[in-house]
Amino acid sequence: MNNLKAVVAGHICLDLIPDLSSLKNTEDDRFIIPGRLLRIGPASVALGGAVANTGIALARLGTEVTLMGKIGDDLLGETILSALHAQGMSRLDYQTGMIHAPGETSSYTVVLSPPNTDRCFLHCSGANDTFSPADLDTTQFEGVKLLHFGYPTLMREIYSAPKAFSEKLAEIRAKGTLISLDVTMPDPNGPEGKVDWRRWFELVLPNVDIFLPSLEETLFMLNRPLFEEMMRRLHRAVPAPGESLNPANFIEFREIDELADDLLSFGVEVAGIKLGDQGIYLRTSASPSRVTEHMTQNVAPQWQERKLLAACYEVPVAGTTGSGDCTIAGFLTALLRGWTPKEALRFAAAVGACNVQKADATSGIPALEEVLERAKMWEFKENRLRPEEVGGELA
């Protein structure tokens, strides 16, 4: 396919991560004590959100990308732009589509990770909350093959206006642009946790072609009882030494397949459910005509009614920040190039494997050709899931 132009829109923020490793020497287990000064290490500052993570990864893999988000006219916003400029990629347009909102604060997250304690996140949505469907400028989509919209669950004017959002996606879709969507886990105690997400999907997903959520996110929004049961099983489990517990291992594969079938019933042509270190499960519709429109005659039929599970590659893990976003970038890169679904899933897994070998979100992503070369040297991780139980197969 010659037209490899994409827009990545939605949530963008700055991650501030102070080094708290020195706190392991404190005598008091409590982390924050009023009036007390704690000496800590330097802070790392990194781009966050789907706009930065998926957008940068797509550009590194060879796609011309325009970023479309909203930042304030503050120091945080200047830092975001400076970090995007530092990427040094001519195919990454971070200026045309970025909205500078006077008087608003840019979004940021403070990641607190004291020794021997689970991480916690202090998040300010900032200008993301005022990014509305109207901010998706349809004049910027001429000749654009793909719009990937990330994290509507963290954007108040998007999750509270599903009808307007869906209508805007329909306008963009009418230009021949494929629509891809990804979400994050809603805060159960926040306003997004009170949204009727099934109704939201009923309104929005008919104008989405590719939907790529995680298992936990999808269960939370569509089947809360099963989500809560899965989490109870997870919390009761005792991991073996060195073992990480994956929620996908605490429900039946039949239930994962039914969840993917539920997503297809809303109208998407491709539903991919991310399963952490157990890979990604792909379901496609009987007639995925939009995603296969420019594929060759021998490839297009291979996208019809598929049930495929791609395992993860066995690689050393430095961190998982942005792994889902980069995996999506790999999948979309392959789809835009007209690859088969098996090739697309394996490439998505390979891009995810490149990501986790670095602590940050995107610095581990090389050019497309290098991803393919690295993948030849890796073995797949042992997978506990059995897609054959639902008539599926391994990619």
Side-chain angles (χ1 to χ4, degrees):
M1 186 181 298
N2 295 323
N3 186 355
L4 291 178
K5 294 182 180 179
V7 170
V8 180
H11 188 278
I12 188 167
C13 69
L14 204 64
D15 290 340
L16 311 176
I17 312 169
D19 177 6
L20 304 181
S21 59
S22 61
L23 298 184
K24 64 184 178 183
N25 298 318
T26 59
E27 297 179 358
D28 199 309
D29 291 336
R30 290 176 294 172
F31 172 39
I32 296 177
I33 300 175
R36 180 181 181 183
L37 183 146
L38 293 173
R39 291 186 177 275
I40 61 175
S44 62
V45 180
L47 291 165
V51 169
N53 296 346
T54 305
I56 290 171
L58 275 170
R60 289 201 173 164
L61 296 169
T63 300
E64 298 284 336
V65 179
T66 296
L67 304 183
M68 192 175 289
K70 197 170 190 179
I71 58 177
D73 59 347
D74 54 8
L75 185 58
L76 290 171
E78 292 176 12
T79 305
I80 288 172
L81 293 178
S82 177
L84 289 171
H85 177 74
Q87 295 297 317
M89 290 186 287
S90 60
R91 67 173 69 95
L92 183 69
D93 178 2
Y94 61 89
Q95 295 177 318
T96 304
M98 200 65 66
I99 299 169
H100 300 256
E104 295 192 34
T105 185
S106 300
S107 178
Y108 68 95
T109 302
V110 179
V111 182
L112 300 178
S113 184
N116 305 315
T117 305
D118 286 342
R119 291 182 302 170
C120 67
F121 305 89
L122 307 178
H123 179 69
C124 170
S125 292
N128 288 308
D129 267 345
T130 63
F131 186 106
S132 73
D135 288 324
L136 286 168
D137 182 0
T138 55
T139 65
Q140 296 193 37
F141 287 88
E142 300 300 332
V144 172
K145 185 56 188 174
L146 172 76
L147 163 63
H148 177 70
F149 196 98
Y151 304 0
T153 35
L154 294 179
M155 305 176 72
R156 185 184 61 221
E157 293 298 312
I158 299 297
Y159 65 69
S160 63
K163 188 172 184 295
F165 183 49
S166 184
E167 289 172 351
K168 181 62 69 170
L169 294 182
E171 290 180 41
I172 297 169
R173 208 167 178 243
K175 295 178 177 291
T177 302
L178 291 171
I179 307 294
S180 169
L181 186 72
D182 184 30
V183 295
T184 59
M185 177 69 79
D187 177 0
N189 300 313
E192 66 271 26
K194 309 301 187 292
V195 171
D196 182 347
W197 285 104
R198 178 170 289 276
R199 178 57 180 160
W200 197 92
F201 288 153
E202 288 173 350
L203 291 170
V204 172
L205 291 189
N207 285 310
V208 171
D209 303 296
I210 306 149
F211 187 34
L212 302 163
S214 74
L215 173 63
E216 300 96 306
E217 294 157 358
T218 315
L219 274 179
F220 179 88
M221 290 187 271
L222 292 181
N223 191 337
R224 189 73 66 89
L226 182 55
F227 170 81
E228 292 172 351
E229 175 58 29
M230 178 184 73
M231 298 309 293
R232 281 193 292 269
R233 295 171 186 170
L234 181 67
H235 292 149
R236 288 196 298 262
V238 179
E243 179 188 21
S244 61
L245 297 178
N246 187 321
N249 292 321
F250 290 87
I251 63 173
E252 301 292 331
F253 196 83
R254 167 187 56 79
E255 294 168 318
I256 297 174
D257 182 62
E258 288 172 354
L259 196 62
D261 192 58
D262 206 3
L263 295 177
L264 290 178
S265 73
F266 291 114
V268 300
E269 293 188 352
V270 173
I273 298 180
K274 303 190 293 289
L275 302 169
D277 64 4
Q278 291 297 294
I280 181 170
Y281 181 54
L282 184 77
R283 284 284 307 270
T284 65
S285 70
S287 181
S289 57
R290 284 179 54 83
V291 299
T292 61
E293 182 180 2
H294 298 286
M295 293 181 182
T296 62
Q297 290 184 349
N298 65 314
V299 170
Q302 297 185 51
W303 283 85
Q304 297 172 1
E305 291 191 288
R306 298 307 299 270
K307 296 183 176 185
L308 294 170
L309 174 69
C312 290
Y313 285 99
E314 189 70 70
V315 295
V317 177
T320 58
T321 300
S323 60
D325 292 325
C326 291
T327 298
I328 287 173
F331 181 81
L332 295 175
T333 295
L335 186 146
L336 286 175
R337 284 162 173 74
W339 296 2
T340 69
K342 283 190 176 183
E343 291 170 334
L345 279 181
R346 288 172 181 164
F347 186 71
V351 174
C354 290
N355 160 271
V356 301
Q357 293 180 73
K358 296 288 186 178
D360 66 83
T362 58
S363 68
I365 308 302
L368 182 149
E369 294 76 12
E370 186 174 342
V371 175
L372 293 173
E373 286 302 312
R374 290 187 190 181
K376 292 177 183 178
M377 300 182 291
W378 296 330
E379 299 291 335
F380 284 109
K381 293 183 66 172
E382 181 181 358
N383 200 291
R384 301 178 182 179
L385 307 181
R386 297 291 177 261
E388 63 272 14
E389 296 174 357
V390 296
E393 58 183 310
L394 288 172

